[in-house]
Amino acid sequence: MVKVNPPSFASKLRRKGSKQRTNLAIATWEGVPAIILQTLLGGPFLTGFLLYLGAGSRQIGFVLAITTFVNIAQIGAAYWMQRIRSRKRMLLLFVGAHRILWSATGLIPFLFPQEWWVSIFIGMYTVAFIANTIGGMIWTSLIGDIVPAKVRGRYFGIRNTILNALGSVCLFVGGMVLDRFPGGTGFLILFIPVWICAIANTVIYFFYPDMPFERSKEKGFWRMFKKPFQDQSFLKATLFLAAWLLVQTLIVPLYSYVMLDLLNVNYQTVSIITVVQTLVMMMGFYLWGNLNARFSNKTLLFWTLPIIALSCLSWGLMSFMPVLVALFCSHIFLGIGVGGFNQLAFNFTIGDTPKSERPMFVAVYSALTGVTSFLGPLIGGSLYEKMEKWPEPMTWFSTYGFQMGIGAAMLILTFTLGRRVLLR
């Protein structure tokens, strides 16, 4: 009889390491069709598609804002998650619904009368992002368990760099398509790869591991809901970041609107500007990821804020320099700052919170910042609508003066309240 030795401890570790690498590879590959879909449906292309459908600045502001406002639904989702058996199945359901509904907005001009286009788009877009906010909550919880804490900062830095490199190519190609085929034809061409990627992205989620879920120690909703509010460090940082995002989103989400509608910059140029922003963001992801191995999430978050403020202040360069120089400078600062902010805010919510209570902490952060990020573009869009009626000598204010004022307010907020909250 042949004696079979049990697997050694070293072989178990190797298998575990191999499985982790496979899971990380799946999470990276899943992002490929996702970034293509998000790039061709979001950013300047979303603004352009809304202008094609006939939307005004206020409606554009609402659409840009609704994606964050629906984050309030994450509070209910965090409690509901404690009762589901499989995070993977629910992820497939909600993320799949988001991808299909958002990509289906491309069919609106072919199926409905023109006077309904904007209203139907807003309805479909809202439902899609309600599904996405629940799916995003589940994904955040799941990816936090998939990616080991010791490599989290560096992994997301590398993953974001790879995906944004692909996104920059899509931005450039998409801009060329819309300039060569203006109007409905160009958008139809863009939606064809979007429909393919919506299906591919949903399919790849089938390969995600269904990791064991450490549930909350609290059983009742209110006891679970109060946990984040009892963590003073988390609460102060979240409230400050919510206030910061209210100011930031007054203008930053409307950059594309100002370029396309007020400055009459063509799609290809806007795409090139956004590609440069993305390339800088890619380098930033890697840099912030490496710094995150040495410094805390909150410390690095603080230093992204003045860089974003400089993005707004840079619009003032067009008062004495060529418009494109100002726009490129602004988007370079934006790429460095917002890329770092988003990556570090994500690491903050999954790394600086207790694992068993993480869904509710993420939900409270998303809800508070979501409300302010919803109000910002709405207020900004309404202000631009009023500025359109101002006399000709005041057009400078809508093209760069407003941005400079917001940038100054952001710097003051950073070095007063932000320094006390994030650097202590």
Side-chain angles (χ1 to χ4, degrees), residues 53-66:
L53 294 179
S57 60
R58 183 175 295 184
Q59 291 165 314
I60 291 171
F62 177 81
V63 169
L64 296 174
I66 196 65

Side-chain angles (χ1 to χ4, degrees), residues 189-354:
I189 294 172
L190 292 190
F191 270 99
I192 291 172
V194 163
W195 292 327
I196 295 170
C197 288
I199 296 169
N201 189 214
T202 305
V203 168
I204 295 176
Y205 277 113
F206 279 97
F207 296 94
Y208 257 54
D210 205 356
M211 304 290 287
F213 182 32
E214 185 176 335
R215 302 180 190 278
S216 172
K217 297 177 175 62
E218 305 293 345
K219 301 301 179 184
F221 172 78
W222 287 111
R223 291 173 65 89
M224 194 183 303
F225 179 65
K226 286 191 296 184
K227 281 282 187 179
F229 294 94
Q230 294 168 345
D231 186 327
Q232 290 300 307
S233 176
F234 170 83
L235 184 60
K236 287 178 181 179
T238 298
L239 289 174
F240 167 75
L241 294 174
W244 165 269
L245 286 169
L246 174 63
V247 180
Q248 176 188 309
T249 54
L250 287 171
I251 179 57
V252 171
L254 295 164
Y255 274 10
S256 294
Y257 167 74
V258 177
M259 289 189 290
L260 291 169
D261 204 52
L262 301 184
L263 297 174
N264 296 313
V265 180
N266 61 47
Y267 282 109
Q268 186 168 357
T269 303
V270 172
S271 296
I272 292 171
I273 292 170
T274 312
V275 166
V276 170
Q277 174 191 326
T278 306
L279 291 173
V280 173
M281 190 183 296
M282 286 161 46
M283 293 184 284
F285 283 142
Y286 187 76
L287 173 65
W288 292 114
N290 284 332
L291 287 173
N292 207 188
R294 299 173 54 196
F295 301 101
S296 71
N297 293 314
K298 289 200 293 185
T299 297
L300 294 178
L301 261 174
F302 172 82
W303 289 110
T304 66
L305 306 185
I307 299 174
I308 299 172
L310 286 175
S311 169
C312 295
L313 290 169
S314 297
W315 285 71
L317 294 174
M318 66 179 66
S319 63
F320 60 91
M321 296 180 70
V323 169
L324 289 181
V325 172
L327 293 178
F328 274 108
C329 287
S330 173
H331 284 76
I332 287 171
F333 283 125
L334 188 66
I336 299 170
V338 169
F341 181 92
N342 292 340
Q343 180 168 304
L344 292 161
F346 178 78
N347 290 345
F348 166 66
T349 56
I350 67 172
D352 295 0
T353 54

Side-chain angles (χ1 to χ4, degrees), residues 16-35:
K16 183 179 180 181
S18 177
K19 189 174 182 180
Q20 281 183 346
R21 286 194 293 271
T22 300
N23 291 340
L24 295 180
I26 291 169
T28 303
W29 278 107
E30 172 270 315
V32 171
I35 196 67

Side-chain angles (χ1 to χ4, degrees), residues 49 52-53 104-114 117 184 187 191:
F49 189 57
Y52 166 70
L53 294 179
T105 57
L107 299 173
I108 290 173
F110 303 100
L111 300 177
F112 303 100
Q114 188 169 357
W117 287 359
F187 284 111
F191 270 99

